[in-house]
Amino acid sequence: MNLPYPIAIGHGMLDRLPDVLQQIARGNRVALISDHNVAKRYGARVARLLGLAAFDRFTIPSGERHKTRATWAKLTDQLLAHGFGRDTTVVALGGGVVGDLAGFVAATYMRGVPVVQVPTSLLAMVDASIGGKTGVDTRAGKNLVGAFHQPAAVVVDPDFLVTLPRAHLSAGFAEIVKHGVVADAGYFEVAQDFARIWPAPRAALPDLQSLVTRSIGIKASIVARDEREGGVRKVLNFGHTIAHAVELATRFRVLHGHAVAIGMVVEARIGERLGVTARGTARTIADVCALAGLPTALPAVPIAGLVKFTRSDKKTRGGKVEYALPKQIGDMAGGDSGWAIPVEDTIVREVLSKKTT
């Protein structure tokens, strides 16, 4: 997939994890990092696969609000206390929070050790585990402290999705929709067709695996062209400026993928308001999200607070917040301006003030 590390995808792939580690980290000591929910269900199985002792396993509380510098410090202190050295390989077993946090631990521990991403949520499979973004949240905003640290390998096993709560399945589907919007109109139509059977997604896991594979391919190809987000990788931020503001304004009561669905609709409307985005694009995105049970309307939070949070985002330049905006489904605007378009707060406030459905 044009990336300098292997991405293994397929049912039963978890059982191949020891082979992956043998190839990339022969003889290294393994530190398994997970959250309480995932560790309860899969931790013992993975520990047996890898031959890990109890002191090789580390768990964190579940949820975005625990993706903090304090949790990062606790994990690194525990690694030091148990004598993990520079020959350590971190295995991140979990969703996006675990992947981001364990990746940041790996990026900073002993000035950098390898990390293998084993995503257990749909969102982490199609997005968070690919591309090397790691970090933690602060009171000022999401992911404001972090590092680019590419994984040594990514192991994607769709069998994890069988036990994934429905809300988290839909949250991951938002990123699938995003990949269609930013890069592939045909893929967007495939996702749209899949959304129509969303009331019974587990019955369509084989089809979902094909979506996962295509989404990973889309993101991998963009990241391969721009690893550190200096140009075209910015298109992957579509929906995320508003999404991060929604998450912060609700104190993370809204799942990230649900916030992304809302953010895509709002940001497409911003693009339509600017004349950058084709009319009807926001409606098309909203319809697909609604089919998959995703929210498309803003929660009951103050508009002024949302605008304030957008300004604390990493995408602010020269006093203006920059947005990744589509021209139309499958084609992004801003190719002549670094793939990001500065937008005045007054326009953002105007669009936010209009009711979304």
Side-chain angles (χ1 to χ4, degrees):
M1 292 186 179
N2 301 319
L3 288 174
Y5 50 87
I7 302 175
I9 309 169
H11 291 284
M13 195 57 67
L14 180 61
D15 292 330
R16 300 268 311 277
L17 182 58
D19 297 332
V20 172
L21 284 171
Q22 180 69 12
Q23 291 170 18
I24 66 168
R26 186 168 304 182
N28 283 15
R29 189 173 176 187
V30 173
L32 176 65
I33 298 178
S34 191
D35 68 31
H36 288 159
N37 290 340
V38 174
K40 187 184 300 183
R41 189 176 291 272
Y42 297 109
R45 177 183 170 188
V46 174
R48 284 195 301 271
L49 279 170
L50 301 181
L52 303 183
F55 50 76
D56 297 323
R57 296 170 56 183
F58 305 88
T59 59
I60 63 172
S62 303
E64 184 80 32
R65 64 193 181 92
H66 298 290
K67 197 177 83 175
T68 64
R69 285 172 289 189
T71 307
W72 166 84
K74 182 177 180 180
L75 284 169
T76 51
D77 285 347
Q78 288 174 331
L79 289 170
L80 290 167
H82 288 288
F84 283 84
R86 297 200 71 181
D87 62 343
T88 299
T89 296
V90 172
V91 173
L93 176 71
V97 170
V98 169
D100 285 356
L101 186 54
F104 188 44
V105 168
T108 51
Y109 191 73
M110 301 283 179
R111 294 196 176 96
V113 298
V115 60
V116 174
Q117 294 283 355
V118 185
T120 61
S121 72
L122 180 57
L123 189 146
M125 289 178 188
V126 301
D127 188 66
S129 65
I130 312 296
K133 281 187 177 180
T134 73
V136 295
D137 304 333
T138 73
R139 289 184 179 181
K142 281 198 62 174
N143 302 317
L144 295 182
V145 176
F148 287 99
H149 187 63
Q150 299 295 339
V154 181
V155 177
V156 178
D157 190 339
D159 288 345
F160 284 120
L161 301 180
V162 174
T163 58
L164 195 67
R166 184 184 177 98
H168 290 264
L169 272 173
S170 64
F173 194 76
E175 293 286 354
I176 289 173
V177 172
K178 182 197 77 177
H179 289 146
V181 175
V182 305
D184 189 335
Y187 178 60
F188 181 88
E189 291 180 4
V190 172
Q192 187 175 43
D193 290 340
F194 188 85
R196 293 192 176 99
I197 61 168
W198 196 253
R202 287 180 178 83
L205 278 180
D207 294 326
L208 189 53
Q209 180 178 333
S210 70
L211 290 177
V212 168
T213 301
R214 177 58 184 141
S215 265
I216 289 173
I218 287 172
K219 180 161 186 182
S221 103
I222 292 172
V223 170
R225 293 157 59 194
D226 177 19
E227 180 179 319
R228 292 181 171 264
E229 205 173 272
V232 70
R233 184 171 177 170
K234 293 178 184 178
V235 302
L236 295 171
N237 292 326
F238 173 57
H240 282 61
T241 301
I242 295 298
H244 290 169
V246 167
E247 289 178 272
L248 290 165
T250 61
R251 298 185 179 182
F252 300 109
R253 290 190 299 272
V254 176
L255 291 174
H256 175 68
H258 292 182
V260 168
I262 296 167
M264 286 191 294
V265 174
V266 172
E267 293 183 20
R269 286 180 169 157
I270 289 172
E272 291 181 21
R273 168 64 177 79
L274 292 172
V276 167
T277 304
R279 292 288 178 186
T281 301
R283 178 75 269 166
T284 300
I285 295 170
D287 288 346
V288 174
C289 289
L291 281 172
L294 287 161
T296 58
L298 288 168
V301 294
I303 300 301
L306 285 175
V307 174
K308 178 183 177 182
F309 282 126
T310 65
R311 296 189 65 79
S312 66
D313 196 80
K314 300 183 297 300
K315 296 177 279 295
T316 301
R317 299 287 187 277
K320 291 184 180 179
V321 182
E322 295 184 338
Y323 288 78
L325 300 175
K327 287 183 183 177
Q328 58 192 2
I329 301 298
D331 187 16
M332 295 296 283
D336 56 352
S337 59
W339 301 101
I341 297 172
V343 181
E344 298 280 357
D345 286 351
T346 52
I347 292 176
V348 176
R349 194 175 294 111
E350 174 192 326
V351 174
L352 288 172
S353 298
K354 292 182 179 179
K355 184 178 180 182
T356 60
T357 57

